[in-house]
Amino acid sequence: HAKSSGSNAYSFFEPSMNANAQEQLQLLHDLRTAIQRREFVLHYQPKFRAPAGPALGAEALLRWQHPTLGLQKPDLIIPLAEKAGLMVTIGEWVLDEACRQLRSWMDAGHPEWTMAVNLSPVQFAHIGLVDLVASTLKRHGVPAKNLVLEVTEATAMRDVETSLDVLNRLVALGTSISIDDFGTGYSSLLYLKRLPANELKIDRGFVMQLAQDNEDAAIVSAIVALGQTLNLNIVAEGVETAEQQEFLTELGCNSLQGFLLGVPTAGQNFLGMVDEQARNGYRNVGADGGAG
Ligand code: C2E
Ligand code: MG
Ligand code: MG
Ligand code: MG
């Protein structure tokens, strides 16, 4: 992989483009063979303790290296996978690959790192999820406490009793639960109190205008206060500017993630990138230059 195969890779197949039926069929067909052809890859984005390190681990983000269309992102892959009935199978691959990668980083000197894996509603509703997580952890020798499962607030809200049951069983295994895109799903406080979550991830939508928009700042501040009351780790996603980095730290976010600090990158580049940041005492993380 070239260095430029990161998050900015050009994709000329926009999901918003209303692909004609022929193209859709072709893509669905291609997706069916993508696993065997080893076309899926995970990119990893570091999560840092606020304001600028150390790195706490990574979030795994799915990519599809399509043979002719180039690198594809989840906003194309996931709806297609759901349509094709492949989401559970692809999710299995993601979990397996992420745990394999984590084990190798743990062995390479980062035994405390966590790996965050996103779960789609379809996976979350699948009866075999908890067993799958347990067997995958075991296969790779990854302790459950090193795995974070990210579930969006909307997903967790879909069917409250079932969600609580699944989340409680995942927590019983020892994994952590992170509520992704928090602030966009209208959770009631009562429900939030019952969720066995360890972490709230503040949606990027509140971070974008944070330094300019008093209302966004007030919302972030309220989420932080809520999270602290419930004893949750608070992560902000989508940190792109030094101003946001400072602001979020001041407001009390424990952890930060975003292009300023580290872009999603292929597994073989991740350790080099983060170890170099560590050697520099994290001086180059964010405000003083970014992760490049
Ligand atoms: P997410 O879990 O909220 O992940 C964050 C998304 O924001 C990622 O997009 C990431 O590349 C992007 N991002 C990170 N930092 C910045 C920043 O500073 N600025 C901007 N503009 N964007 C930033 P990506 O990789 O396209 O993933 C989109 C969504 O797709 C994810 O949102 C997640 O919900 C879903 N997803 C990704 N990988 C998987 C997967 O393996 N399985 C499932 N079920 N869903 C996945
Ligand atoms: Mg996520
Ligand atoms: Mg998110
Ligand atoms: Mg998001």
Side-chain angles (χ1 to χ4, degrees):
H1 282 286
K3 185 167 183 253
S4 62
S5 70
S7 63
N8 296 326
Y10 179 61
S11 147
F12 61 82
F13 198 91
E14 294 292 337
S16 54
M17 213 185 264
N18 205 346
N20 66 39
Q22 186 67 48
E23 285 169 332
Q24 278 281 341
L25 278 175
Q26 183 63 47
L27 273 171
L28 283 171
H29 172 266
D30 294 347
L31 194 71
R32 288 213 168 79
T33 54
I35 288 188
Q36 299 94 287
R37 291 172 185 266
R38 300 174 173 274
E39 290 169 357
F40 289 121
V41 284
L42 295 180
H43 281 187
Y44 299 94
Q45 184 176 35
K47 229 182 235 189
F48 294 93
R49 174 155 304 133
L56 304 168
E59 175 176 5
L61 297 162
L62 180 62
R63 301 289 183 265
W64 177 18
Q65 188 66 57
H66 187 282
T68 55
L69 299 172
L71 197 70
Q72 301 299 318
K73 292 198 174 174
D75 55 357
L76 175 129
I77 307 164
I78 288 173
L80 207 60
E82 293 191 347
K83 199 177 227 174
L86 290 171
M87 196 57 235
V88 169
T89 306
I90 295 173
E92 260 183 64
W93 179 86
V94 170
L95 192 65
D96 182 71
E97 180 64 14
C99 287
R100 190 194 59 73
Q101 180 65 82
L102 176 61
R103 184 66 250 177
S104 99
W105 289 337
M106 291 175 76
D107 293 340
H110 299 284
E112 78 295 355
W113 274 5
T114 59
M115 178 67 77
V117 172
N118 293 284
L119 296 178
S120 75
V122 175
Q123 290 170 273
F124 193 67
H126 190 255
I127 192 103
L129 177 68
V130 181
D131 288 342
L132 174 73
V133 170
S135 64
T136 307
L137 287 169
K138 193 168 171 204
R139 184 164 62 252
H140 292 284
V142 170
K145 67 173 167 46
N146 293 67
L147 181 67
V148 178
L149 297 167
E150 296 197 2
V151 181
T152 68
E153 190 187 359
T155 300
M157 294 263 302
R158 220 168 247 208
D159 172 349
V160 173
E161 293 311 319
T162 306
S163 296
L164 284 171
D165 174 58
V166 174
L167 291 174
N168 281 320
R169 288 192 291 134
L170 289 168
V171 167
L173 271 185
T175 67
S176 293
I177 305 297
S178 177
I179 307 299
D180 207 349
D181 301 344
F182 188 77
T184 60
Y186 315 100
S187 297
S188 77
L189 296 181
L190 198 62
Y191 177 51
L192 191 62
K193 192 184 129 189
R194 292 177 65 200
L195 273 183
N198 309 80
E199 179 176 283
L200 295 182
K201 285 187 92 166
I202 300 173
D203 190 66
R204 187 163 69 85
F206 300 115
V207 173
M208 285 191 293
Q209 300 298 320
L210 184 66
Q212 291 79 40
D213 186 325
N214 289 334
E215 289 177 355
D216 285 345
I219 290 169
V220 169
S221 177
I223 294 175
V224 170
L226 180 65
Q228 285 172 346
T229 303
L230 297 174
N231 240 324
L232 303 175
N233 193 45
I234 318 288
V235 188
E237 62 176 24
V239 183
E240 293 184 354
T241 70
E243 213 176 11
Q244 293 165 347
Q245 179 190 23
E246 264 171 51
F247 223 102
L248 289 160
T249 304
E250 242 163 66
L251 288 173
C253 292
N254 315 92
S255 317
L256 304 178
Q257 217 181 353
F259 293 168
L260 178 75
L261 311 165
V263 297
T265 186
Q268 64 266 33
N269 303 329
F270 184 88
L271 203 56
M273 174 179 94
V274 173
D275 280 350
E276 175 163 355
Q277 291 172 331
R279 274 195 299 279
N280 289 325
Y282 296 98
R283 282 193 310 276
N284 59 341
V285 176
D288 299 326

